[in-house]
Amino acid sequence: MASFVYDAFKEQLVQNEYGWAKGSPDTYKILLLNTAIGTGDSDETTVAAVIAGDLEYTPDQRETIASQSITPGSGSTTGLDAADTIFTTLAPGGVGEQVNSLLLYVHIAGGDANCKPAAVFALATPFTGNGATVTFTWNAAGLITLS
């Protein structure tokens, strides 16, 4: 489940500027971050702003999420869910770098200055890539829970 959801993403999702479910024209990707991001950063509006200061895990590896769905939860919650995300042959990071968190974002052509951050997922155990395949298994309640 997301550690936090970006303010602008919540607003734009509710205003139907971004879609999530099947048939949505929006593409969502996962970017690996080499540091934990605090909730105080939830007001950033571009991926470029989020990764300023070398927060991005090097080398730059991103994967598109697939099979987005909307899942009714218990009570008054709804989950935004997707298939698990697989990074094939995740390369080692730079000196001292570890994957500490994941950034879910809306991919918009034109580079990181156009892409919109959606949510951050802090990892309980940071790790360094070693060329192996890494699968991020999403919570059964969804990546993001709306209530």
Side-chain angles (χ1 to χ4, degrees), residues 122-147:
L123 300 181
T125 306
F127 68 93
T128 300
N130 62 4
T133 296
V134 176
T135 301
F136 293 102
T137 304
W138 303 117
N139 187 306
L143 282 82
I144 297 170
T145 300
L146 306 173
S147 56

Side-chain angles (χ1 to χ4, degrees), residues 7 27 29 37 108:
D7 299 336
T27 300
K29 292 190 174 193
I37 293 182
I108 300 172

Side-chain angles (χ1 to χ4, degrees), residues 31 46-49 51 56 60 62 105 108 110-116:
L31 169 64
T46 68
V47 169
I51 63 174
E56 184 177 5
D60 181 357
R62 304 173 191 216
Y105 69 95
I108 300 172
D112 289 339
N114 293 333
C115 295
K116 306 301 180 190

